[in-house]
Amino acid sequence: MATRMASGGNGGAGAGGAGGGSSFQDYQESVSDAWDLGDDEFCIISGGVSVEAARISKKVSQSAALNVIKTHKNHKNVRVGTAAVATTTTTTAAMVESMDGMKISSRTAVDSDNDGNVVQRREQQQNHDGMNNVSDHRLRQRFHAYPGRPQPLKLSSNVASKDVECESKYEKFTNILEAPLLNLIALKEISWSGVPRRMRAVTWRLLAGYLPTSLERRNTLLERKRVDYRKLVQQYFHVDARDEIQQDTYRQIHIDVPRMNPHVALFQQKLVQEMFERILFIWAIRHPASGYVQGINDLVTPFFIVFLQESVGADKDLEQCQLGDLSEEQRDVIEADSFWCLSKFLDCIQDNYIFAQLGIQEKVNQLKDLIQRIDGTLHRHLQAHGVDYLQFSFRWMNNLLTRELPLYCTIRLWDTYLAESDGFAVFQLYVCAAFLLHWRDQLLQERDFQS
């Protein structure tokens, strides 16, 4: 989200200032929800949490629960003088939160007394299973310090009430995506903290700018763009003669593609490699200023996986997928959509791949400035031991961390990349900075970086 980057983004790219460290800390706090437990397939925590509890919207339950406790602590009658108020009864809030046997319910009502003054009446009931006191701090811990590893939760229609269903992430995405005119800002905001797998393909097409915001125009445009891509393949790829530059481009692509994910059987399938070769070759021909650069091949992978998952089904295991089992039409859709989304995605970082890759060099220097401001000790340690930022962060910028992260983590990270309103180039700096800070202690103990 652009608002999340307002303070941090400017600091990351600029030249240094007194408030650099604190602004980075503010940024860290502002994005603490980036990996919500409600992301993707509605995660629950192993260890006895009931399904009913897990289905309650995190944001709604947190806000309401803290409201209840605050109200209980500061319990007092509020009288507002007015002579014109007749009998008025309005139920203003209701909340039930159930987790590990703890239930909290609250009801607030507004009545008028005999003098015509409004009296606010609060009733709060608490049912404890071995828990007599709940403090603000403990409640916040329950929402923010979850132990264990999130496990996927299968949806069931008889698990939660309609009110909870309406707050689910699927429901929110559905409401946004099925609107006649898409609210792109709302889609970016909800996508920033993760896109559910079943919604990811269409959401990525919209966030990348491949699909229009008008619902009725989408199918027509998709059909036209897919036809356009097939024409490009016929025009540029299936030709008898290529000039020397095109031959060199194809030769390099042909070498690089089999090297991608060599231990993943899916990417060793001939149909998959041929698909990648066509995508990369046509992109290079259409972008002569940069042409094909090693590293771009890795950027096709997330789009390919997302659209392949859409084609075979959200619950299918892609490791066992055989592209030959899909129809030719399905394969054409995956290839065309991957090409167009890649093209849109690279538009904002094309200077990374022009001659001398000046865009990447600039970002490496920005990362250096950022670390120098937020962690001078680590920066000085790297400098003292002859570590050039270009040595380790060039690949981070060139491949957008696709070689550093597992594929499923890359796809989750790209949910946020695509949701960044001003492009993700600035956000990428903060991700790389987070990498360094995460391994800060190990780096400070290291004395030999060259072996």
Side-chain angles (χ1 to χ4, degrees):
M1 295 187 304
T3 54
R4 297 178 186 270
M5 293 299 303
S7 62
N10 295 334
S22 60
S23 67
F24 184 77
Q25 293 170 357
D26 294 340
Y27 162 78
Q28 286 181 305
E29 293 177 1
S30 73
V31 298
S32 61
D33 64 340
W35 295 79
D36 282 347
L37 290 179
D39 291 348
D40 217 314
E41 315 322 319
F42 289 95
C43 294
I44 60 174
I45 299 300
S46 54
V49 180
S50 67
V51 173
E52 289 82 356
R55 289 302 304 277
I56 293 176
S57 168
K58 177 182 173 184
K59 289 185 179 179
V60 172
S61 59
Q62 179 181 5
S63 175
L66 293 176
N67 235 355
V68 168
I69 291 176
K70 184 177 180 181
T71 299
H72 182 64
K73 278 185 167 184
N74 304 319
H75 182 69
K76 62 181 180 178
N77 290 333
V78 180
R79 297 179 176 272
V80 181
T82 171
V85 178
T87 302
T88 307
T89 303
T90 307
T91 301
T92 59
M95 179 267 176
V96 177
E97 194 273 339
S98 174
M99 183 177 286
D100 294 341
M102 180 185 71
K103 295 181 180 179
I104 301 176
S105 63
S106 172
R107 184 179 63 202
T108 305
V110 180
D111 296 336
S112 65
D113 62 11
N114 295 330
D115 299 328
N117 294 325
V118 175
V119 179
Q120 186 170 354
R121 175 169 48 84
R122 298 179 181 85
E123 295 177 6
Q124 180 173 349
Q125 300 173 343
Q126 296 189 10
N127 180 12
H128 297 269
D129 261 352
M131 304 179 81
N132 297 323
N133 297 307
V134 179
S135 65
D136 281 356
H137 175 70
R138 182 165 178 76
L139 188 62
R140 288 179 185 275
Q141 277 191 329
R142 297 191 69 82
F143 285 109
H144 292 290
Y146 294 91
R149 184 179 180 84
Q151 302 296 329
L153 169 66
K154 299 298 181 182
L155 291 179
S156 176
S157 58
N158 61 354
V159 168
S161 67
K162 290 184 178 180
D163 290 338
V164 176
E165 288 287 347
C166 288
E167 294 298 335
S168 73
K169 205 162 192 179
Y170 281 112
E171 188 73 18
K172 290 178 180 179
F173 268 95
T174 300
N175 291 337
I176 293 174
L177 295 175
E178 293 183 356
L181 188 62
L182 178 78
N183 184 338
L184 189 57
I185 294 177
L187 181 63
K188 288 180 176 181
E189 183 168 348
I190 193 175
S191 299
W192 200 92
S193 60
V195 182
R197 181 183 297 176
R198 296 177 187 175
M199 308 287 189
R200 186 168 277 134
V202 64
T203 300
W204 277 27
R205 290 185 185 104
L206 288 161
L207 292 176
Y210 175 36
L211 284 183
T213 56
S214 173
L215 181 62
E216 64 178 0
R217 292 182 53 223
R218 287 176 199 166
N219 287 336
T220 303
L221 184 136
L222 273 178
E223 292 175 3
R224 179 170 60 82
K225 297 295 283 186
R226 289 164 181 169
V227 169
D228 288 346
Y229 176 73
R230 287 197 294 271
K231 291 179 179 178
L232 289 173
V233 172
Q234 295 171 357
Q235 180 178 354
Y236 294 114
F237 195 82
H238 295 306
V239 294
D240 296 330
R242 299 189 180 110
D243 61 33
E244 185 176 350
I245 295 177
Q246 292 175 344
Q247 286 285 13
D248 290 341
T249 297
Y250 177 76
R251 189 180 301 110
Q252 187 61 56
I253 292 173
H254 189 68
I255 293 172
D256 289 345
V257 167
R259 295 174 178 173
M260 297 188 311
N261 303 292
H263 303 297
V264 180
L266 174 64
F267 294 99
Q268 301 310 308
Q269 296 179 31
K270 184 178 180 180
L271 284 174
V272 173
Q273 294 182 359
E274 290 175 348
M275 186 180 294
F276 273 65
E277 287 178 357
R278 288 190 293 268
I279 291 172
L280 293 168
F281 182 79
I282 294 171
W283 187 89
I285 296 299
R286 286 171 55 87
H287 296 82
S290 61
Y292 171 74
V293 177
Q294 286 178 302
I296 297 179
N297 52 313
D298 290 310
L299 307 186
V300 182
T301 304
F303 293 113
F304 169 78
I305 290 295
V306 167
F307 298 138
L308 175 61
Q309 189 79 70
E310 178 190 41
S311 185
V312 302
D315 299 325
K316 299 294 184 181
D317 182 8
L318 294 184
E319 291 184 7
Q320 307 300 324
C321 178
Q322 292 293 323
L323 210 65
D325 294 340
L326 301 180
S327 67
E328 184 177 357
E329 181 181 0
Q330 287 176 306
R331 297 197 300 268
D332 287 346
V333 165
I334 295 169
E335 182 176 341
D337 289 358
S338 298
F339 170 80
W340 290 117
C341 285
L342 173 72
S343 299
K344 293 287 187 179
F345 186 72
L346 291 178
D347 281 350
C348 62
I349 57 169
Q350 193 171 347
D351 60 339
N352 285 10
Y353 305 107
I354 60 175
F355 178 73
Q357 298 185 258
L358 299 177
I360 290 181
Q361 294 189 42
E362 179 183 3
K363 291 177 178 64
V364 169
N365 288 331
Q366 290 173 350
L367 177 63
K368 179 179 178 179
D369 293 340
L370 179 61
I371 297 299
Q372 186 174 6
R373 288 200 306 277
I374 64 178
D375 196 333
T377 302
L378 176 60
H379 172 75
R380 288 189 293 273
H381 179 75
L382 295 176
Q383 296 293 98
H385 291 83
V387 179
D388 191 335
Y389 281 76
L390 195 66
Q391 289 177 280
F392 61 85
S393 63
F394 180 87
R395 192 173 82 166
W396 296 0
M397 305 297 181
N398 190 51
N399 302 86
L400 301 181
L401 300 174
T402 56
R403 294 290 181 94
E404 276 62 43
L405 295 172
L407 184 55
Y408 71 93
C409 288
T410 298
I411 291 173
R412 167 59 192 89
L413 181 61
W414 280 35
D415 289 340
T416 303
Y417 279 176
L418 288 164
E420 281 292 314
S421 296
D422 57 348
F424 59 88
V426 174
F427 180 77
Q428 164 81 357
L429 292 175
Y430 286 86
V431 176
C432 294
F435 260 51
L436 289 173
L437 297 186
H438 180 77
W439 282 284
R440 177 182 189 273
D441 293 341
Q442 294 94 315
L443 290 172
L444 289 176
Q445 294 173 7
E446 184 65 50
R447 294 294 181 268
D448 182 12
F449 290 92
Q450 307 302 327
S451 61

